[in-house]
Amino acid sequence: MVSVLLDIIDGVRADLRARQELVSLAELQEQVKHVAPALDAWAALGGNLAQRPELMVIAEVKRRSPSKGDLAGIADPAALAVHYRDGGASVISVLTEERRFGGSLADLDAVRAAVDIPVLRKDFTCDEYMIWEARAHGADLVLLIVAALSDEELRSYLDLTHQLGMNAVVETHTAEEIARAVAVDAKIIGINVRNLKTLDVDRGVFAALAGSIPAGPIVVAESGVRDVADVQHYSAHGAHAILVGEALVKDSTPRERIAEFKAAGALAISAR
């Protein structure tokens, strides 16, 4: 049985080939020379250990997902990003995968123009072209999914990200994937409680794995945030940040919800 992750990446590669026919890598590299330097997302998410007394929020612009279908129309992603920023989000994540998530690089452009905080291009990075593309469109971070990359790809893509002045959220789901992320000195490690091969969610995955990440990297809890209780659970088990999409795009008051999540996270962190 083909995993959902592999099926998604097949589509990503097909769409990538179409974009490469329109804009060459050399053209992208020239565009990057004229883009403002990347913002420091690592610092925005807490940076040094001494700067992590509160829970940071990565708030996501996400129209739909393979597991839940349509989530929200989001006619104005820029306006939503402004609400996120005003609520206290440290980073805005923008889905750019089109087939399963309804995203686009146009969404990334709109958000980048609207906010002055770091922006994550959330996609299934499978070629260095996509990293140059992200930077050309003003992204400050990219997503690198360990399960989708070989060790060689993971290291080279992370190196390129840093060469471009960017950061990467290195996403894991198992102890073996965390070990691979640590081995390449990932500065931001995400633990996705959703299994991308099956789309099943198990919030216990975070508590089981977070303790295996050594001191130093920023630890991000990804997926499964429904309410304050989930935020407190992740915070109590070592999350420095949470990545939230569905709970925010389906909420009529996302700015207030982010502030509520941050307050709940701060309480849980102080009680550790």
Side-chain angles (χ1 to χ4, degrees):
M1 180 179 70
V2 176
S3 76
V4 175
L5 175 62
L6 292 178
D7 189 48
I8 291 173
I9 290 176
D10 283 345
V12 169
R13 289 189 183 280
D15 293 341
L16 170 61
R17 288 192 291 271
R19 296 197 305 277
Q20 288 173 317
E21 291 180 1
L22 296 175
V23 181
S24 70
L25 178 59
E27 289 174 304
L28 274 183
Q29 291 170 334
E30 183 62 29
Q31 290 174 19
V32 166
K33 295 178 182 178
H34 306 286
V35 175
L39 300 175
D40 190 344
W42 184 75
L45 289 171
N48 295 321
L49 289 172
Q51 299 173 335
R52 301 179 190 174
E54 63 176 308
L55 183 74
M56 304 300 183
V57 173
I58 303 173
E60 192 154 84
V61 176
K62 180 179 184 180
R63 290 190 174 85
R64 64 174 183 259
S65 74
S67 60
K68 296 292 183 68
D70 291 338
L71 300 174
I74 311 181
D76 190 346
L80 179 59
V82 169
H83 282 301
Y84 286 167
R85 179 203 62 196
D86 291 349
S90 297
V91 171
I92 308 297
S93 171
V94 182
L95 258 302
T96 59
E97 197 281 333
E98 182 174 359
R99 298 185 183 211
R100 299 295 192 98
F101 293 89
S104 68
L105 287 166
D107 287 346
L108 180 61
D109 291 337
V111 170
R112 172 72 290 161
V115 298
D116 55 0
I117 60 175
V119 175
L120 163 66
R121 185 207 180 163
K122 184 91 175 292
D123 211 316
F124 296 78
T125 306
C126 56
D127 191 285
E128 71 167 26
Y129 181 97
M130 295 179 70
I131 300 173
W132 284 98
E133 190 176 51
R135 183 79 282 269
H137 286 266
D140 309 290
L141 304 96
V142 294
L143 180 71
L144 300 179
I145 302 174
V146 174
L149 303 171
S150 67
D151 287 342
E152 181 180 355
E153 288 171 329
L154 181 60
R155 186 175 294 279
S156 65
Y157 292 176
L158 187 58
D159 286 347
L160 175 59
T161 299
H162 292 158
Q163 289 167 20
L164 293 175
M166 306 168 73
N167 281 281
V169 176
V170 179
E171 181 177 298
T172 66
H173 180 70
T174 67
E176 185 266 340
E177 290 171 8
I178 286 176
R180 292 176 60 199
V182 171
V184 296
D185 298 320
K187 297 169 64 178
I188 306 171
I189 298 178
I191 297 176
N192 193 346
V193 304
R194 186 184 302 280
N195 184 335
L196 292 181
K197 297 177 181 179
T198 63
L199 299 184
D200 294 334
V201 171
D202 179 358
R203 292 170 185 83
V205 166
F206 186 85
L209 296 179
S212 64
I213 299 177
I218 292 168
V219 180
V220 183
E222 301 180 52
S223 299
V225 176
R226 300 163 296 187
D227 50 31
V228 163
D230 292 327
V231 174
Q232 291 173 328
H233 169 77
Y234 290 143
S235 300
H237 287 93
H240 302 122
I242 54 171
L243 192 154
V244 193
E246 180 181 346
L248 295 179
V249 299
K250 295 175 72 173
D251 195 299
S252 60
T253 58
R255 178 170 54 190
E256 289 76 9
R257 193 65 55 239
I258 290 172
E260 181 183 44
F261 286 170
K262 285 179 67 68
L267 284 175
I269 289 171
S270 67
R272 283 178 191 166

